[in-house]
């Protein structure tokens, strides 16, 4: 039986929780039996027994990782594959900041891994772990449809990628 610790809203302070006569130590010790949660329902709110309502807002990539962790192990191997590069710059003053801002934006909007790398003198942002050029191209087309502002800077590049065995 897999257990996840009870979660609190990010803006809940300890004093707010104690003011409602809820023991903080009880909340931290309380666990949710994940066998009661349906496989496709990790984003839905649940009330189990007398526990308070918990709503989890998370990036799609986190949801995928949770499903793998809860419902089965996944072994990865590193192979020669493809990624979609959406940013590359060597401007010393702004490149790092631009790359990290773009990483945050992409993490919130795409369901593939986002990589930021500094390969001197360039900062790069690349997306995904694709086995074939065709998979990467299909993702690139979908990405440009969702984010047309990336069209001029988006390329498919060869890279070492991590895929399931």
């Amino acid at each position: 039986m897999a257990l996840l610790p009870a979660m609190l809203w990010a803006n809940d302070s300890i004093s707010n929780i104690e003011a409602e006569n809820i023991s903080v130590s009880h909340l931290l010790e309380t666990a949710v039996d994940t066998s009661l949660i349906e496989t496709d329902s990790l984003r839905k709110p649940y009330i189990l027994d007398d526990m308070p309502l918990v709503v989890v807002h998370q990036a799609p990539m986190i949801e995928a990782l949770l499903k793998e962790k809860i419902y089965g192990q996944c072994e990865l191997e590193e192979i020669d594959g493809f990624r979609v590069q959406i940013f590359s710059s060597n401007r010393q003053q702004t490149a790092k900041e631009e790359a990290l801002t773009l990483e945050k934006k992409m993490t919130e909007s795409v369901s593939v891994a986002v990589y930021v790398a500094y390969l001197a003198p360039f900062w790069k942002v690349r997306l995904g772990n694709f086995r074939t050029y065709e998979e990467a191209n299909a993702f690139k087309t979908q990405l440009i449809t969702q984010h047309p502002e990336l069209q001029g800077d988006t390329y498919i590049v060869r890279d070492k990628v991590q895929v399931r065995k």
Side-chain angles (χ1 to χ4, degrees):
M1 170 172 58
L3 296 176
L4 293 175
M7 296 181 186
L8 305 175
W9 286 100
N11 61 355
D12 280 347
S13 67
I14 300 299
S15 59
N16 288 347
I17 295 166
E18 289 173 344
E20 297 176 17
N21 295 324
I22 300 172
S23 165
V24 174
S25 61
H26 172 72
L27 281 174
L28 295 175
E29 293 170 3
T30 304
V32 176
D33 179 353
T34 58
S35 65
L36 301 175
I37 300 175
E38 298 173 18
T39 305
D40 296 333
S41 314
L42 288 177
R43 288 179 176 249
K44 296 181 182 174
Y46 287 92
I47 299 177
L48 300 174
D49 300 327
D50 293 332
M51 292 181 62
L53 177 66
V54 176
V55 178
V56 178
H57 298 277
Q58 60 196 11
M61 184 176 160
I62 300 298
E63 183 176 342
L65 291 172
L66 277 173
K67 284 183 180 180
E68 286 180 10
K69 183 71 174 170
I70 293 170
Y71 302 109
Q73 294 289 5
C74 176
E75 292 186 34
L76 298 176
E77 65 179 331
E78 189 171 271
I79 64 168
D80 291 326
F82 300 89
R83 290 200 169 121
V84 176
Q85 181 170 296
I86 60 172
F87 178 79
S88 179
S89 176
N90 65 349
R91 286 175 279 163
Q92 291 182 347
Q93 302 297 327
T94 61
K96 180 179 179 182
E97 184 178 320
E98 289 177 40
L100 295 176
T101 301
L102 192 53
E103 174 194 28
K104 182 178 179 185
K105 178 181 176 183
M106 289 296 110
T107 300
E108 294 171 353
S109 68
V110 297
S111 60
V112 298
V114 180
Y115 300 94
V116 174
Y118 178 70
L119 304 168
F122 291 93
W123 281 91
K124 299 179 181 211
V125 178
R126 294 180 175 176
L127 307 175
N129 292 299
F130 303 104
R131 289 179 182 269
T132 66
Y133 182 89
E134 290 75 21
E135 289 175 355
N137 195 39
F139 176 77
K140 175 186 167 192
T141 302
Q142 177 187 8
L143 180 68
I144 290 173
T145 301
Q146 292 175 348
H147 300 280
E149 70 277 9
L150 298 176
Q151 186 168 3
D153 298 324
T154 303
Y155 303 94
I156 298 171
V157 295
R158 290 184 181 274
D159 206 344
K160 291 284 188 186
V161 300
Q162 294 183 354
V163 295
R164 293 181 180 161
K165 284 187 177 183

